[in-house]
Amino acid sequence: MTKKVFLLSLLCGLIAVFSLQTAMAYNPSWKADQAKMFEQMGLKPGDIIDKSNADKVKDFIPASILAWIKKGEFVLKIGEMNYDYSHEEAWDKASQSNVGKYNLGGNKEVIEKATGTFPRAIYGMPFPNIDLMNDPDAGMKYMHNKKVAECRPSTVDELAETMWIGEKGYERDFNLRWRRWYAWARPEGEVENPTNTKSFELTQLLMPYDLTGTIILTDSPLSGDGDKQYVYVPSIRRVKKQSGAARSDPSFGSDFVSDDAGGWGGQAETMNWKILRTQIALVPVEGWLTQHPDIYDKQSDGSWKTRRDIGDSKYGYNDNNAPEGVVAWCPTSAVWVPREVVVVDATPLDPYYNYGKCTYWFDKENYGNWFKVINNKAGEYWKTLMTNVICQNWGDNLKYKTYGMYTFYHVVDDKSHHSSINIPRGQLLHGYSDHVINGPGVKLEYMRPEYIPLLSK
């Protein structure tokens, strides 16, 4: 009885601590906190979780992943982080300086209290202190914080590869180039932004041949009015405007949709968000990334480029040392580490959106998305998506720590027993993905519908 009372008191204490979401993620006690989480879970680094002991982790992962372990499709290697996996102290101080500056507008967009309109520049989280369990707008504010945190690199230029993985392994793939431009979270403050855009995303298909030259431009306005999306189709040499609901259509025939990018690639204003709980979770991190952040080196043009001293992502289908019986898409190079997460439900506002309610597991400190559990429009479970959130260390004296990048994210369609894997960082089947921050390949002039046919040539 005494032990039960103690555990109940501990749980209540954790809920009270977690219910106030502050932006002060810089955590000098991270190592001791990680040790406490291991103790509470009854696990330690080096443990192996398989179908013989799956229930040991049932409270710390989505139910779908637990089912995969019990079927023998997944085996988890338990590991630990060897550095603080949160934002740097200066960013958190900038966030605290924003207390009371911002509110939500009619579209649930971020607005400045002083002007009553959307901010053209934000540095630091706009809502640094959220009462997660009592503020009716907590979910929306949390998602705006996440968006601002992702904007910190200002521009991003990268190659990526999406692979179809069936029960027998690799089936096909396509390569693309992603370029993103952000208005918010720039250290220099407001920049030229004549279209009042929060972010642009330019997706250019590089291969296979039948898709080469296809380009998608997404314009996400500061007003929160919803994405504007344009597609250039080489076969007809025309730019077509698409509905914002197209972000829930299959991405070039894969198991992904556009809004699955990085776990959640859409805009906060397109969903109703509800905070469910906070908890300890086990999340997948590449083995090399548990040892050190992803380090960026300054280039002669002033950009920042990733180093290549990292390990390759391995799965059941291409890992000769994979545990016996695991499914082809099991991420065997990942270790599973304890993190504090915020679990959030999202319900689409657009009746034509192809997903029903989705449940996200976001990192409490760095806002990265670890899991997305997807239901269909009938409310039935459909897919699970998981990601590996990268700690990016860049800037002069490596002063910035950002989390808008992933070594992998992949989705498992449990209806068809099939997976698609996107690898935007590391060794690809057709080359190497060098991730570039603030590089010359991303210019505001590219982000116009009339310009994208020129990029296709």
Side-chain angles (χ1 to χ4, degrees):
M1 178 65 71
T2 303
K3 184 176 180 181
K4 289 183 178 180
V5 172
F6 170 76
L7 289 174
L8 181 59
S9 299
L10 177 63
L11 179 62
C12 292
L14 287 172
I15 291 172
V17 170
F18 290 169
S19 64
L20 183 65
Q21 171 66 25
T22 75
M24 296 302 287
Y26 168 70
N27 184 8
S29 65
W30 66 269
K31 195 167 187 177
D33 291 345
Q34 181 175 247
K36 289 178 184 176
M37 286 189 283
F38 274 120
E39 183 179 357
Q40 291 164 22
M41 292 187 297
L43 298 171
K44 63 182 184 301
D47 284 349
I48 301 295
I49 302 298
D50 57 24
K51 60 184 178 182
S52 70
N53 60 355
D55 281 336
K56 293 181 72 172
V57 299
K58 65 183 178 65
D59 295 327
F60 312 117
I61 56 176
S64 50
I65 300 179
L66 179 66
W68 302 340
I69 299 171
K70 289 186 173 183
K71 288 191 292 184
E73 294 184 347
F74 264 45
V75 172
L76 310 190
K77 296 181 290 187
I78 306 302
E80 62 182 338
M81 297 304 302
N82 287 279
Y83 57 95
D84 181 15
Y85 216 52
S86 61
H87 291 111
E88 74 278 8
E89 186 175 16
W91 171 258
D92 293 328
K93 287 182 177 178
S95 299
Q96 285 300 309
S97 71
N98 289 334
V99 172
K101 286 185 179 180
Y102 301 102
N103 212 335
L104 298 178
N107 290 328
K108 298 297 183 179
E109 80 280 18
V110 180
I111 60 170
E112 294 174 327
K113 287 185 178 180
T115 65
T117 189
F118 50 77
R120 299 175 63 85
I122 297 176
Y123 196 75
M125 304 297 192
F127 304 105
N129 299 319
I130 306 172
D131 188 343
L132 291 178
M133 306 315 298
N134 296 303
D135 185 341
D137 289 319
M140 185 63 70
K141 291 175 180 177
Y142 186 90
M143 295 307 297
H144 282 307
N145 280 353
K146 174 177 169 54
K147 180 64 177 182
V148 174
E150 290 179 347
C151 290
R152 295 189 63 200
S154 300
T155 72
V156 172
D157 192 356
E158 68 191 54
L159 297 178
E161 186 168 71
T162 296
M163 297 177 292
W164 281 251
I165 306 296
E167 293 181 15
K168 296 181 180 179
Y170 168 83
E171 296 174 349
R172 60 171 296 194
D173 67 279
F174 64 83
N175 273 41
L176 52 86
R177 182 180 181 184
W178 260 332
R179 283 173 274 193
R180 280 160 285 174
W181 180 97
Y182 300 114
W184 286 346
R186 292 174 176 258
E188 69 270 31
E190 184 177 339
V191 294
E192 179 186 359
N193 186 6
T195 56
N196 292 326
T197 295
K198 184 190 308 177
S199 63
F200 286 109
E201 180 183 286
L202 198 62
T203 305
Q204 181 177 0
L205 272 292
L206 303 178
M207 62 175 300
Y209 178 78
D210 58 333
L211 295 176
T212 300
T214 303
I215 296 179
I216 301 174
L217 172 65
T218 303
D219 175 348
S220 302
L222 290 167
S223 63
D225 286 330
D227 288 343
K228 303 172 186 176
Q229 195 167 64
Y230 307 88
V231 179
Y232 175 70
V233 184
S235 60
I236 62 174
R237 299 181 182 179
R238 294 289 185 275
V239 176
K240 299 171 60 179
K241 188 173 182 179
Q242 290 194 143
S243 162
R247 292 191 62 84
S248 65
D249 291 340
S251 181
F252 304 104
S254 71
D255 298 293
F256 291 113
V257 305
S258 294
D259 273 355
D260 288 336
W264 165 245
Q267 299 304 314
E269 297 93 336
T270 63
M271 300 279 165
N272 276 322
W273 300 92
K274 180 181 179 182
I275 305 286
L276 298 183
R277 64 186 182 276
T278 58
Q279 68 166 82
I280 298 170
L282 281 171
V283 302
V285 178
E286 290 282 10
W288 67 267
L289 193 59
T290 64
Q291 304 304 309
H292 62 84
D294 200 8
I295 305 295
Y296 288 63
D297 292 323
K298 193 170 187 178
Q299 308 299 301
S300 58
D301 58 11
S303 65
W304 298 89
K305 185 176 179 180
T306 46
R307 298 176 183 176
R308 295 191 175 187
D309 58 340
I310 65 171
D312 296 335
S313 297
K314 293 288 186 182
Y315 296 86
Y317 81 94
N318 66 352
D319 185 352
N320 293 331
N321 297 313
E324 184 177 356
V326 299
V327 75
W329 50 80
C330 175
T332 57
S333 56
V335 296
W336 294 69
V337 304
R339 297 291 296 170
E340 295 174 8
V341 300
V342 180
V343 183
V344 186
D345 267 356
T347 306
L349 297 176
D350 190 329
Y352 298 103
Y353 199 83
N354 289 318
Y355 282 169
K357 182 176 70 176
C358 296
T359 302
Y360 296 83
W361 296 39
F362 295 114
D363 195 279
K364 176 177 176 283
E365 292 187 323
N366 63 48
Y367 286 82
N369 180 37
W370 297 110
F371 303 116
K372 175 180 182 178
V373 180
I374 302 161
N375 292 324
N376 62 22
K377 291 174 70 68
E380 302 166 328
Y381 166 66
W382 182 7
K383 306 177 189 178
T384 296
L385 187 148
M386 67 190 73
T387 72
N388 173 30
V389 182
I390 290 183
C391 176
Q392 304 162 275
N393 215 176
W394 60 281
D396 293 325
N397 299 314
L398 298 178
K399 65 180 179 180
Y400 300 125
K401 288 174 68 180
T402 55
Y403 296 85
M405 180 62 183
Y406 305 83
T407 58
F408 71 78
Y409 54 92
H410 80 269
V411 65
V412 178
D413 185 331
D414 267 325
K415 298 284 189 182
S416 62
H417 205 234
H418 191 272
S419 179
S420 293
I421 301 172
N422 187 278
I423 302 178
R425 175 74 178 97
Q427 184 65 48
L428 310 178
L429 289 175
H430 307 285
Y432 195 93
S433 176
D434 288 317
H435 193 254
V436 180
I437 290 173
N438 294 340
V442 183
K443 298 180 180 179
L444 191 57
E445 65 190 71
Y446 296 166
M447 309 299 175
R448 304 197 312 265
E450 60 270 25
Y451 195 94
I452 58 177
L454 300 178
L455 295 175
S456 182
K457 294 183 177 179

